[in-house]
Amino acid sequence: LEGMAKTMLPNVILLVSLTLLLIPSTKVVDSFIVPLSIRSIVPWQSDKNRLQQQKKNVYYNKKFRFGVHQSSVSNQAEADEGNASIVGKSGEPRDTYDVIVVGSGIGGLSCAAMLALYGYSVAVFESHYAAGGAAHGFQVKDPKTGVFQFDTGPSFFSGLNPNIPAKSSNPLRTVLEAIGERVECTPYTSFGLSLPEGDFIHTSGFGEAGGVLDQVSGTKAVSEWKQLLQNMEPLAGAVAALPTAALRADIGTVVTAAQFLPNFAKGNPFDNFKLTKPFSDIVNTAVSDGFTKNWLDLLCFCLSGLPADGTITAEMAMMMGEFYEPDAIMDCPKGGASAIVDALVRGIKKRGGSIFLKSHVDKIIIEDGRASGIQLKKKKRIIKAKKAVVSNLSVWDLFGSGIVDTAAFPKKVCGRKNGDTSRKIIYASSCGF
């Protein structure tokens, strides 16, 4: 019993730490939902002889360096109208809801969909003319080849394909299955890279002999990569050991999450503490090659918006565990990221939830230490929330927006600067995991 206690104690502490880090997040995202701010990543076939054939289906803009799939939508107005028809006209909002969600990003929509599933009255208020937050796109019309749809936000997805068994560690897939919605996807196993070192084809064999890393940095870098993946294996297993749906913000987590604690005992329990550390700590123990570090910084940035020293290891453990497993498959949602938004919107509306577009929130009302409602910009109308107001804004955007009184929060939270590394680590967990 004493031995079991010593083994399980670190896991209990880890569980509590993960709960504290992850539960406050209102942004439920897939492990590979990433902002494609680096425009050099293009969906591409691995066979170089097929590049010309592939260019018929993928538009590659040399100036801007990003790729898109051809869209059947003829113009932007038509695309906007299509989105509006899915969201629908909900009329005027009621005076009171159980929960109000500010912002219709993927996190806010996921939150609203789950609340509606469990019978709460919920309303989402969005300033933009379309739902989706960063999951938007735009179109470019080429006179010779037609119209192409560009995703400006999330572009990399894994685990969404409804024809492939889901993993319990995939939060977005968990939400979609819970609300009974599918996102049809086209699978692909490779994509093109246009880097300062040259143009390459990325596959799950990136760090193997003959792969991109070998071509750029040689055998030493390949050896370091293999060591890094070996170091990440037990961490990926620890992340997969606890389904995200089992996490709660109250004492109920003892019931929902405790049953999975034995899964952590399969490895060294003290390794689990590494999950809450910056990923750079793991990288620096195995990797010295500059190109490899730059690549890992890019992957971290795509996942969390921060480099390796600001990205929590748990995020990368999940990503590396899928991205570089043999025969890894990426998912391209048919219709782009907006297809995910449409699915979440359907899940909200079919259970009585409402989404109000062009409805800017001027203020989150705080009374007696709790958020009690919102004030809209239009007509300064006040909408009350019986149970909660959920913000889909990032923490730093929320505090800088002026819609909430920062005096209601501890100074140690509101007063931190953007350069605070510990702040980056915690917020990366909230936004990306």
Side-chain angles (χ1 to χ4, degrees):
L1 290 176
E2 181 181 356
M4 290 177 62
K6 290 180 179 179
T7 301
M8 296 302 291
L9 179 59
N11 293 324
V12 173
I13 297 174
L14 172 69
L15 175 61
V16 173
S17 300
L18 286 175
T19 302
L20 292 175
L21 282 174
L22 303 179
I23 287 300
S25 169
T26 62
K27 196 166 187 178
V28 183
V29 297
D30 180 70
S31 56
F32 284 161
I33 293 184
V34 295
L36 188 57
S37 299
I38 305 300
R39 303 297 188 186
S40 60
I41 301 179
V42 190
W44 218 258
Q45 292 186 359
S46 59
D47 186 353
K48 293 184 178 181
N49 296 328
R50 287 179 162 184
L51 288 182
Q52 293 302 320
Q53 177 184 354
Q54 184 72 1
K55 285 181 180 179
K56 296 179 181 178
N57 300 318
V58 178
Y59 180 78
Y60 183 55
N61 188 311
K62 284 289 186 181
K63 181 178 179 180
F64 297 104
R65 293 192 182 281
F66 48 55
V68 297
H69 294 269
Q70 188 166 5
S71 171
S72 60
V73 182
S74 59
N75 55 60
Q76 186 62 48
E78 205 172 319
D80 297 343
E81 179 61 30
N83 197 320
S85 66
I86 292 174
V87 175
K89 296 181 178 180
S90 302
E92 289 295 316
R94 304 203 305 259
D95 292 332
T96 305
Y97 293 90
D98 289 332
V99 180
I100 292 171
V101 179
V102 180
S104 68
I106 288 177
L109 294 176
S110 295
C111 177
M114 293 301 290
L115 287 166
L117 173 67
Y118 284 99
Y120 292 95
S121 62
V122 59
V124 181
F125 292 87
E126 169 61 49
S127 296
H128 201 48
Y129 60 79
H136 280 297
F138 65 93
Q139 296 177 333
V140 172
K141 187 173 183 179
D142 185 272
K144 296 182 179 179
T145 53
V147 178
F148 298 87
Q149 179 76 25
F150 287 73
D151 280 335
T152 57
S155 275
F156 276 179
F157 301 89
S158 176
L160 288 184
N161 197 323
N163 299 317
I164 298 176
K167 293 184 177 181
S168 60
S169 58
N170 188 317
L172 182 57
R173 178 71 176 275
T174 300
V175 171
L176 290 170
E177 294 204 339
I179 65 176
E181 293 293 337
R182 294 166 58 94
V183 175
E184 298 298 331
C185 298
T186 299
Y188 64 98
T189 58
S190 60
F191 53 88
L193 296 174
S194 183
L195 304 173
E197 291 81 3
D199 293 342
F200 305 95
I201 302 298
H202 182 284
T203 68
S204 59
F206 172 87
E208 298 178 0
V212 176
L213 190 56
D214 190 18
Q215 297 175 52
V216 174
S217 298
T219 55
K220 180 182 177 182
V222 170
S223 177
E224 291 181 347
W225 181 265
K226 290 181 178 180
Q227 184 61 53
L228 175 65
L229 293 185
Q230 288 179 9
N231 295 347
M232 294 296 292
E233 281 183 10
L235 302 179
V239 172
L242 184 64
T244 53
L247 293 172
R248 295 172 55 130
D250 57 21
I251 193 63
T253 194
V254 174
V255 176
T256 60
Q259 59 184 306
F260 299 101
L261 279 178
N263 294 342
F264 289 95
K266 296 178 181 178
N268 183 347
F270 289 97
D271 281 346
N272 296 331
F273 287 118
K274 298 177 182 178
L275 292 173
T276 56
K277 299 294 184 180
F279 182 55
S280 57
D281 288 2
I282 306 297
V283 174
N284 292 335
T285 60
V287 177
S288 62
D289 178 64
F291 176 79
T292 305
K293 288 188 174 183
N294 288 341
W295 175 248
L296 292 170
D297 272 336
L298 172 60
L299 292 182
C300 289
F301 180 80
C302 287
L303 183 62
S304 70
L306 295 165
D309 64 356
T311 302
I312 194 169
T313 297
E315 293 183 76
M316 292 303 293
M318 182 187 294
M319 180 179 181
M320 299 284 281
E322 292 191 6
F323 207 43
Y324 290 110
E325 65 183 5
D327 303 320
I329 295 176
M330 301 292 101
D331 297 324
C332 179
K334 294 181 180 179
S338 61
I340 300 172
V341 174
D342 294 345
L344 292 171
V345 167
R346 291 194 301 269
I348 294 169
K349 291 184 67 64
K350 70 183 180 183
R351 291 181 173 85
S354 299
I355 301 174
F356 298 95
L357 304 178
K358 298 182 181 178
S359 300
H360 181 77
V361 174
D362 253 355
K363 182 181 180 182
I364 295 177
I365 301 170
I366 299 177
E367 298 175 325
D368 298 325
R370 65 176 297 271
S372 60
I374 61 170
Q375 179 179 296
L376 298 176
K377 181 178 182 180
K378 185 178 180 181
K379 299 180 181 179
K380 301 300 179 182
R381 185 176 172 190
I382 292 177
I383 313 294
K384 287 290 187 177
K386 295 178 183 179
K387 296 186 178 295
V389 174
V390 178
S391 172
N392 193 195
L393 282 71
S394 65
V395 178
W396 52 90
D397 286 334
L398 175 65
F399 289 154
S401 66
I403 68 172
V404 65
D405 182 7
T406 56
F409 298 86
K411 290 183 179 180
K412 64 180 181 180
V413 175
C414 302
R416 285 174 175 162
K417 298 180 180 179
N418 290 338
D420 188 336
T421 303
S422 62
R423 175 179 185 272
K424 287 182 180 180
I425 296 169
I426 294 175
Y427 289 171
S429 170
S430 298
C431 294
F433 188 72

